[in-house]
Amino acid sequence: MAAVAVVSLGAGLGLSRMIVSPAEAAAAAAPPDAGLITVPVEQRVLANDVVLRGDVVYEDPVDVVLETGDLGGPAVVTGGVPDVGGTIDTGAVLLEVTGRPVIALPGALPVYRTLRAGVSGPDVVQLKEALVSLGIDPGDPADPEYDAATSAAVVDLYARVGYPAPAPDDEVKAQVQAAVDAVDAADDGVRLARADLATASRGENTHPRRVALQAAVNTAVAVLEETQRACAADPATCRGSDLTAAEGAVATAVAERDAATEAPDTSMQRAAVTAAEKLQERARADLATAQAAAVTHLPASEVVYLASMPRRVDSVAVERGATVAGTPVMSVSGATLQVSGAVADSDARLLVVGAPASIALPDGGEVTGTVTALGGDDPAAQGTPETTAGRTRVVITPGELTDEQRTALQGSNVRVTIPVSSTGGEVLAVPLAALTAGPGGEARVELLDGDVSTLVEVTTGLAADGFVEVEPVDGDLSTQDRVVVGRAGQVTGETPADGDAPDDAGTDA
């Protein structure tokens, strides 16, 4: 019985400790009395950054399309296919089509026609400027006409790339030959007309005739003189008719001699010479025109203009034996790596071209870079979708890269950090939650020293990473102080109970 009593007593005591009354349970569940939460004032560097991710690509990618309309047949790739990753310099052969080179030259205008003698326009000026960049003299680079000097420069260009200059087509050759034949015929006509004029100018007044006519005059004069002497010796036998006949014979002989020495009428022959010389002049002008048209031309199918040089081959869409039919034959880009990404418009307004950036390498290292384009100024945006609404494209160009870094970056997606503001050094900083607003809107922090709470007015500076730069207006503030950032046990939005803070304490900032 004694043992049962002892066990019952122990059990009762144990059960009494496990039983909790409703009042005790409510008291245990109540929140603790509110207390102040404090953190130390810090000395730290504050900085705001714009962070984005971007794809590493080569600048200004473009698709190369060849103009093949003037070939007159299939445009078959016969050689010169470049390797991906290769470099295309100014004046290099981009591709070989139907045995002819396609030469890469710098220029913004695409090819839209064959350049030949007599044509003029901005594409001629662009060609001349490209030739000058290669050290080839095309004449006046500002002259928009394709002339003999330009043609000679094009011949030099083809000699440099190791191909013969384009020859004139059969129609042009036929025109030149016809003009040459016309000049030959005109020259013959002039020679014949001048020969006729020379013959007519001499007339029949040859030397033997002139001697015969003069002899006739001399004979008639001698007969007249003999008749006159006979009449003088024997007037009775002198007949007047004989004297008159002798005088007439002299007059006739003299008249015939004088008529023969007069210049003949050659007006018709002179007119024929003038007409022949005019025909000769026109024929020679036509020959000059035909020969000018036959000077070396630059076919539209043998040149491609690219906005900047040199270029890197990103991809090739043709191979030897393939036929080119208006589709891109390759894609090329600039030789400079760029990081292309996008940020929210609000972040883009904080950025400027030329701002420094830090680019995280795939292996964990970092390289520096520079913001080189924002939004529509992005040279890498060619051939890419338009910028998404509400976001702005940003292009960052890395600084000097080693071969290993270039290889690691190419084709990767990287993290870029662009500082937009910084304190430049360590400053006093407190969490944003430590700021409260005074009656006049001034910023304050609440210092706690033991059980003593003090409000200190401060001026604020840069805010970043949840902290804000502060400087006391009155009093001291140092890293030895602690500031109030909240109250333990206080539900968010709950008004502190009376006595929890000084009467002049402000609301949460």
Side-chain angles (χ1 to χ4, degrees):
M1 292 179 63
V4 171
V6 171
V7 171
S8 298
L9 178 60
L13 292 174
L15 290 174
S16 66
R17 291 181 177 275
M18 299 177 61
I19 298 174
V20 180
S21 67
E24 290 176 334
D33 294 337
L36 298 179
I37 301 175
T38 63
V39 296
V41 177
E42 295 188 24
Q43 189 90 12
R44 62 186 298 170
V45 176
L46 297 181
N48 273 331
D49 300 331
V50 172
V51 180
L52 68 148
R53 297 199 69 85
D55 295 322
V56 181
V57 296
Y58 281 91
E59 64 176 332
D60 191 17
V62 294
D63 291 331
V64 177
V65 180
L66 304 185
E67 175 57 57
T68 59
D70 62 346
L71 288 178
V76 179
V77 178
T78 53
V81 180
D83 295 327
V84 174
T87 300
I88 300 171
D89 295 314
T90 299
V93 175
L94 191 70
L95 202 64
E96 184 185 276
V97 178
T98 63
R100 298 294 300 166
V102 179
I103 304 172
L105 294 176
L109 291 176
V111 176
Y112 58 89
R113 62 175 175 176
T114 292
L115 299 182
R116 60 180 75 252
V119 303
S120 63
D123 52 344
V124 178
V125 174
Q126 177 174 266
L127 169 63
K128 291 184 177 182
E129 291 174 346
L131 292 172
V132 169
S133 70
L134 287 170
I136 301 175
D137 182 13
D140 182 5
D143 183 1
E145 184 176 356
Y146 190 100
D147 52 18
T150 314
S151 173
V154 170
V155 172
D156 193 359
L157 173 65
Y158 276 91
R160 290 196 180 190
V161 299
Y163 284 82
D169 55 32
D170 293 341
E171 181 180 355
V172 173
K173 291 180 179 178
Q175 291 174 350
V176 172
Q177 186 58 51
V180 170
D181 294 342
V183 169
D184 291 341
D187 291 343
D188 291 341
V190 170
R191 284 193 296 270
L192 291 174
R194 288 175 177 171
D196 291 342
L197 176 60
T199 300
S201 298
R202 291 192 303 269
E204 297 180 358
N205 189 17
T206 61
H207 181 68
R209 178 172 173 74
R210 288 196 303 270
V211 171
L213 290 174
Q214 184 61 44
V217 170
N218 294 339
T219 299
V221 170
V223 171
L224 176 60
E225 291 176 346
E226 183 63 29
T227 301
Q228 289 174 340
R229 284 194 299 270
C231 288
D234 188 4
T237 61
C238 179
R239 293 183 299 179
S241 58
D242 292 339
L243 184 60
T244 302
E247 291 175 346
V250 170
T252 299
V254 170
E256 289 180 352
R257 183 199 65 186
D258 292 344
T261 58
E262 289 181 357
D265 182 7
T266 60
S267 58
M268 292 182 62
Q269 288 79 4
R270 288 196 299 272
V273 170
T274 300
E277 289 175 343
K278 289 182 177 179
L279 287 174
Q280 182 188 52
E281 183 180 352
R282 284 198 296 269
R284 289 178 176 176
D286 291 342
L287 176 60
T289 301
Q291 289 174 333
V295 300
T296 300
H297 61 288
L298 182 61
S301 59
E302 297 187 13
V303 64
V304 166
Y305 290 101
L306 299 171
S308 61
M309 306 287 283
R311 287 281 171 159
R312 177 187 181 276
V313 180
D314 294 332
S315 63
V316 179
V318 295
E319 58 184 9
R320 190 170 184 269
T323 300
V324 178
T327 57
V329 295
M330 67 184 68
S331 176
V332 298
S333 62
T336 303
L337 277 178
Q338 292 183 333
V339 182
S340 178
V343 298
D345 290 345
S346 57
D347 287 339
R349 287 191 286 270
L350 303 174
L351 304 178
V352 295
V353 172
S358 177
I359 303 169
L361 296 174
D363 61 4
E366 286 190 353
V367 293
T368 60
T370 305
V371 177
T372 53
L374 293 171
D377 296 331
D378 177 13
Q382 296 184 11
T384 61
E386 295 294 332
T387 301
T388 306
R391 298 183 66 79
T392 300
R393 185 176 295 276
V394 181
V395 177
I396 301 94
T397 301
E400 291 293 331
L401 298 172
T402 64
D403 292 340
E404 293 77 8
Q405 290 172 335
R406 183 179 296 274
T407 301
L409 279 173
Q410 185 178 342
S412 62
N413 182 275
V414 296
R415 184 177 185 269
V416 181
T417 302
I418 306 172
V420 294
S421 57
S422 172
T423 57
E426 292 186 343
V427 295
L428 289 177
V430 298
L432 287 169
L435 291 179
T436 60
E442 67 277 9
R444 302 179 305 181
V445 294
E446 183 179 351
L447 303 183
L448 186 64
D449 184 6
D451 295 332
V452 178
S453 176
T454 305
L455 292 172
V456 177
E457 181 180 348
V458 295
T459 56
T460 59
L462 179 66
D465 299 329
F467 283 81
V468 60
E469 177 186 0
V470 293
E471 184 176 348
V473 175
D474 297 320
D476 296 327
L477 190 64
S478 69
T479 56
Q480 304 301 317
D481 297 320
R482 300 183 68 86
V483 292
V484 176
V485 294
R487 288 169 173 78
Q490 177 179 335
V491 180
T492 302
E494 179 182 345
T495 302
D498 292 341
D500 287 347
D503 294 338
D504 59 348
T507 59
D508 289 343

